[in-house]
Amino acid sequence: MEMKYSMLSPTVTENRSQFVRIDPGNVSRKPLFGLDAEALAAVMVEMGEPGWRGRQLAEAIYCQLVTELSEITTLPRALRERMGAGGWEVGRPRIAQVFTSVDGTERYLVQGGGDGGETVETVWMPEGDEGEAGDGSGEEANSGTRSRATICVSSQVGCAVNCQFCLTAKLGFQRNLSAGEIAGQVVSVLERHGVEVGRERVNLVFMGMGEPFLNYDNFMAAVRLLVDEVGLSPQRMTVSTSGIVPGIERFALEPPEFRPKLAISLNAPNDEVRAEIMPINRRWPIEAVMEAVRKVKLRPRERVTFEYVLLGGVTDRVEHAAEVGRLVRRTGLAAKVNLIAWNPGPGIGYTMPAASAVERFRAALGAEGIPVYVRRPRGRDIFAACGQLKRTVDSEQWSD
Ligand code: SF4
């Protein structure tokens, strides 16, 4: 299959390397972005200033979206200069490259403040993906309005989990992102699209590169920043895990005011098939994952999502649907299933399911009484669809 790249943004084809490595330049030595109001107050106190200046800083960085110290005009100029001389800077991750799909999806390479200036992937889907709405409404996500826009966020550079159908796995694990690098992806995208937080509804899905529950502390610190400082609702956030049981158990203890909704990347009808496509299943088989999920106290109307990638001939048979139905029912959880037709990627030996197989699977699962949604692939042409995130900028390997 030949992919067309004419819709990619300029400069992309000039770079023939497969991964982008951007010169870190002035990497922030001491980024303020990523610190909560309390930590910002501590910075101020350390500099001999009153603690309430921390609130001014938080307001400037997370609400006014200021990116330069010099623009924080609520602080005296002399203080800003002292901070700069002391190595402090806003240090928010920035969008380094943009790829635009014919369907309006945008994929970004976002550069954090870490060593080496690696980039991670963030995706903006203006009309959601026809999966869940993400706002607890139980509606499908595609109303065709901006109010359903969804941002897909990365939590690690690369990933150690090694799901066999996923391009990110090919990178291997490189490093965890900091809380600021995770929250910074969101804030940068909100700013790019002029989203007015509080007036417009935007959903976040932590389903980009990486396994959030293997970077638990930074992931949850980012969520708290996004809730407390940026003003987003955790009920419009969904975190997806491949089934890291200790992480799910910690997550179950999070207070509801900071806990996003939970999605389990199930992808198979039973342990045998799952272990083949997700080696993590050998460590934590399906029943262990389900037992941990049952510990999460769902809010009224909240449901756990089971993500299910349909691999042609591997996980898309109608008898698999019946098995998934029984499995989900047996959990006793308020649940739904999001079906994702697998998105092809270079070097991965699976095939896309036929459209008729997707429909048969959906109907069979629905007949089992399970709420089921088919997520429309977004940004496939720019490698932005599920499982395609690998910092790809080049098309040369893409043909079969
Ligand atoms: S699907 Fe998610 S958990 Fe699995 S390898 Fe890819 S990024 Fe990691």
Side-chain angles (χ1 to χ4, degrees):
M1 180 193 310
E2 282 294 323
M3 298 293 286
K4 304 243 180 320
Y5 283 85
S6 56
M7 65 292 292
L8 294 181
S9 60
T11 76
V12 173
T13 50
E14 288 165 20
N15 187 334
R16 303 306 295 170
S17 68
Q18 192 175 5
F19 308 137
V20 174
R21 196 169 183 83
I22 290 165
D23 182 354
N26 289 328
V27 171
S28 163
R29 280 176 295 144
K30 293 203 258 177
L32 295 163
F33 195 96
L35 303 181
D36 61 17
E38 206 179 311
L40 291 170
V43 169
M44 290 289 89
V45 169
E46 205 176 286
M47 297 193 72
E49 296 289 324
W52 50 261
R53 291 241 181 256
R55 179 46 40 217
Q56 290 180 316
L57 267 176
E59 179 74 20
I61 295 171
Y62 300 114
C63 302
Q64 292 156 15
L65 310 187
V66 164
T67 54
E68 298 295 334
L69 263 185
S70 60
E71 292 166 7
I72 308 179
T73 50
T74 45
L75 300 185
R77 182 195 293 254
L79 172 57
R80 282 179 269 156
E81 285 170 0
R82 263 199 306 135
M83 290 175 74
W88 289 106
E89 63 177 33
V90 174
R92 189 178 89 197
R94 64 182 191 88
I95 295 175
Q97 209 163 357
V98 180
F99 304 84
T100 305
S101 166
V102 283
D103 66 19
T105 298
E106 288 185 352
R107 178 170 71 96
Y108 314 103
L109 300 185
V110 178
Q111 184 179 18
D115 299 341
E118 311 103 323
T119 55
V120 291
E121 306 254 355
T122 311
V123 179
W124 161 266
M125 292 169 280
E127 295 170 14
D129 59 6
E130 285 194 348
E132 58 172 330
D135 59 2
S137 66
E139 298 164 25
E140 292 205 7
N142 183 28
S143 67
T145 70
R146 161 99 161 238
S147 67
R148 293 290 195 225
T150 297
I151 303 172
C152 179
V153 185
S154 292
S155 55
Q156 297 179 312
V157 183
C159 186
V161 176
N162 200 23
C163 302
Q164 298 296 294
F165 50 82
C166 170
L167 264 184
T168 305
K170 300 258 175 204
L171 288 173
F173 173 71
Q174 298 186 10
R175 70 173 177 89
N176 282 330
L177 295 181
S178 67
E181 288 173 319
I182 298 170
Q185 296 168 61
V186 176
V187 172
S188 293
V189 175
L190 291 176
E191 183 185 42
R192 176 178 168 83
H193 291 279
V195 174
E196 288 181 55
V197 173
R199 289 197 58 210
E200 295 176 79
R201 294 193 300 175
V202 173
N203 302 316
L204 302 187
V205 293
F206 295 92
M207 300 183 184
M209 296 169 84
E211 164 52 78
F213 283 2
L214 290 180
N215 184 19
Y216 191 89
D217 289 330
N218 290 343
F219 157 68
M220 275 309 300
V223 167
R224 281 191 290 273
L225 273 180
L226 291 166
V227 172
D228 260 355
E229 306 301 342
V230 181
L232 297 172
S233 163
Q235 302 203 50
R236 299 217 173 90
M237 302 179 189
T238 303
V239 59
S240 175
T241 178
S242 57
I244 309 294
V245 165
I248 300 170
E249 286 173 343
R250 282 185 73 183
F251 187 74
L253 300 174
E254 296 291 346
E257 61 272 27
F258 290 117
R259 182 178 61 70
K261 297 188 297 172
L262 182 64
I264 301 294
S265 194
L266 179 64
N267 305 323
N270 54 53
D271 281 323
E272 198 186 334
V273 178
R274 194 166 190 265
E276 229 171 79
I277 61 173
M278 297 179 72
I280 194 83
N281 197 79
R282 295 190 196 116
R283 179 93 184 263
W284 291 295
I286 294 173
E287 195 39 53
V289 173
M290 297 303 187
E291 208 180 303
V293 175
R294 282 189 206 100
K295 295 181 181 159
V296 178
K297 284 195 188 62
L298 300 178
R299 305 174 187 92
R301 292 172 65 214
E302 181 180 352
R303 290 181 290 187
V304 172
T305 302
F306 291 99
E307 305 283 341
Y308 193 97
V309 172
L310 292 157
L311 301 170
V314 180
T315 61
D316 67 344
R317 297 210 298 269
V318 93
E319 57 270 27
H320 291 154
E323 249 184 294
V324 171
R326 283 195 296 276
L327 201 153
V328 171
R329 265 206 318 271
R330 237 189 12 251
T331 66
L333 293 162
K336 61 179 175 289
V337 174
N338 275 352
L339 298 177
I340 306 141
W342 180 70
N343 294 301
I348 301 193
Y350 293 112
T351 55
M352 285 175 71
S356 55
V358 175
E359 179 46 32
R360 269 200 307 273
F361 198 100
R362 189 200 61 74
L365 200 48
E368 294 284 328
I370 308 291
V372 53
Y373 304 91
V374 179
R375 286 171 61 181
R376 182 147 50 114
R378 289 286 177 181
R380 218 181 234 168
D381 54 334
I382 54 162
F383 293 99
C386 290
Q388 287 190 313
L389 301 183
K390 195 191 168 192
R391 298 185 299 191
T392 311
V393 295
D394 187 30
S395 63
E396 61 197 350
Q397 291 196 6
W398 188 268
S399 62
D400 61 20

